[in-house]
């Protein structure tokens, strides 16, 4: 019995050194742009409710993503995926201390043009929400995170449940 328990403890230590990341969707990802009124997606007829966070394709957009990571994680890759076609785009990497697990809010900027385009910097402060009223929906994007351990081995990509409408903001 003791050998089995020691083996389980040893296996747990090895697994913990691999790292891992999870997206905390309790608040959902947020952006600086939010619908001030209900809006209709003219392509699908879907009504997008007031208060929905959006990514503006024609403006730089600050976005926040809450994540938790395990001991052994040295980097967190940030990604974005088109909702309908599943195409993914690497945004950037956030460095973390592999000797401790933790949680935090990653704040980054998606530049105007093609959402998502790139990640500029991780900022410690919260974003300021700017309400918008008129939108032209161009697509939908889901954010993702992927842990990388100190040996450079990337884990499974975790995706947020929240899907950002990508719109032209007027």
């Amino acid at each position: 019995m003791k050998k089995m328990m020691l083996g389980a403890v040893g296996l747990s230590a090895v697994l913990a050194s691999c790292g891992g990341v999870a997206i905390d969707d309790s608040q959902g990802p947020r952006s600086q742009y939010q619908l001030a009124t209900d809006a209709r997606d003219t392509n699908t007829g879907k009504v997008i409710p007031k208060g929905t966070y959006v990514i503006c394709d024609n403006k730089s957009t600050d976005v926040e993503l809450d994540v938790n990571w395990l001991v052994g994680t040295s980097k967190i890759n940030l990604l974005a995926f088109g909702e309908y076609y599943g195409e993914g785009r690497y945004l950037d990497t956030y460095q973390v201390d592999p000797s401790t697990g933790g949680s935090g809010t990653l704040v980054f900027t998606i530049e105007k043009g093609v959402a998502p385009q790139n990640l500029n910097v991780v900022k410690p402060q919260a974003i300021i929400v700017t309400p918008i009223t008129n939108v032209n929906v161009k697509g939908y994007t889901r954010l993702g995170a992927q842990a990388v351990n100190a040996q450079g081995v990337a884990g499974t990509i975790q995706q947020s449940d929240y899907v950002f409408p990508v719109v032209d903001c007027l």
Side-chain angles (χ1 to χ4, degrees):
M1 183 73 147
K2 284 186 179 182
K3 286 183 182 180
M4 184 179 258
M5 291 205 41
L6 287 175
V9 170
L11 181 58
S12 296
V14 169
L15 290 175
S17 69
C18 293
V21 67
I23 293 176
D24 179 357
D25 267 331
S26 60
Q27 293 182 358
R30 296 151 317 271
S31 77
Q32 77 186 82
Y33 298 107
Q34 202 172 23
L35 294 179
T37 63
D38 288 352
R40 182 175 304 277
D41 179 342
T42 56
N43 297 315
T44 65
K46 177 183 173 184
V47 173
I48 304 169
K50 172 183 176 179
T52 299
Y53 291 105
V54 299
I55 295 172
C56 290
D57 194 43
N58 60 330
K59 298 180 181 188
S60 296
T61 305
D62 291 338
V63 179
E64 294 182 351
L65 180 65
D66 296 327
V67 297
N68 301 304
W69 61 91
L70 297 174
V71 171
T73 303
S74 62
K75 299 179 209 175
I76 299 171
N77 290 332
L78 300 171
L79 306 110
F81 297 87
E83 181 61 10
Y84 294 126
Y85 301 109
E87 70 278 7
R89 179 166 292 175
Y90 167 82
L91 298 173
D92 208 343
T93 300
Y94 179 71
Q95 301 289 325
V96 295
D97 182 354
S99 66
T100 62
S103 63
T105 300
L106 306 181
V107 180
F108 53 99
T109 301
I110 297 175
E111 294 298 330
K112 69 179 180 176
V114 179
Q117 188 168 12
N118 67 10
L119 173 77
N120 286 344
V121 294
V122 176
K123 304 173 189 173
Q125 73 274 12
I127 59 177
I128 297 171
V129 175
T130 305
I132 59 171
T133 54
N134 300 313
V135 298
N136 173 29
V137 178
K138 298 177 100 176
Y140 295 87
T141 297
R142 185 184 301 264
L143 298 179
Q146 178 184 43
V148 179
N149 68 17
Q151 291 76 37
V153 177
T156 303
I157 296 171
Q158 304 298 314
Q159 291 188 32
S160 172
D161 290 333
Y162 187 84
V163 179
F164 284 101
V166 178
V167 303
D168 277 336
C169 299
L170 306 173

